[in-house]
């Protein structure tokens, strides 16, 4: 976890990955809960993270842990036709 906001009490998860053969066993949830407890002990008031839009499994996990979407980034390949 890192502290990357202007506010000292706004903490960010910079990277988390569970090996594919260990996914779906609750390790990601447990890791996020432990990180939240550690951040709270050190004075964090909020915790943020970035997640790729196509990663629906991770998004569902974060939403179930109480994370809310605060911004959306969109992209389009150059030269693509409008539709």
């Amino acid at each position: 976890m890192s502290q990357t906001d202007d506010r000292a009490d706004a903490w960010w998860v910079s990277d988390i990955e569970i090996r594919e053969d260990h996914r779906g066993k609750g390790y990601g949830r447990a890791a996020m809960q432990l990180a939240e407890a550690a951040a709270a002990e050190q004075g964090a008031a909020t915790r943020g993270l970035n997640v790729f839009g196509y990663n629906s499994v991770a998004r569902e996990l974060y939403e179930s842990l109480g994370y809310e979407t605060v911004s959306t980034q969109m992209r389009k390949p150059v030269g693509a036709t409008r539709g």
Side-chain angles (χ1 to χ4, degrees):
M1 255 185 331
S2 64
Q3 196 174 334
T4 60
D5 199 324
D6 291 340
R7 295 177 28 190
D9 63 351
W11 285 55
W12 283 79
V13 175
S14 58
D15 192 24
I16 183 169
E17 182 176 354
I18 306 299
R19 277 187 17 192
E20 192 168 343
D21 57 330
H22 291 286
R23 293 177 189 162
K25 299 178 182 177
Y27 298 130
R29 177 176 300 280
M32 293 298 291
Q33 290 170 328
L34 288 170
E36 184 170 336
E41 287 175 9
Q42 295 185 40
T46 63
R47 220 171 38 146
L49 55 83
N50 290 310
V51 60
F52 290 110
Y54 62 80
N55 193 342
S56 60
V57 173
R59 289 176 58 128
E60 288 175 16
L61 169 63
Y62 301 142
E63 288 171 358
S64 76
L65 290 168
Y67 287 82
E68 298 175 348
T69 301
V70 295
S71 66
T72 303
Q73 191 177 61
M74 299 176 75
R75 164 185 356 203
K76 177 182 172 184
V78 175
T81 60
R82 291 186 184 188

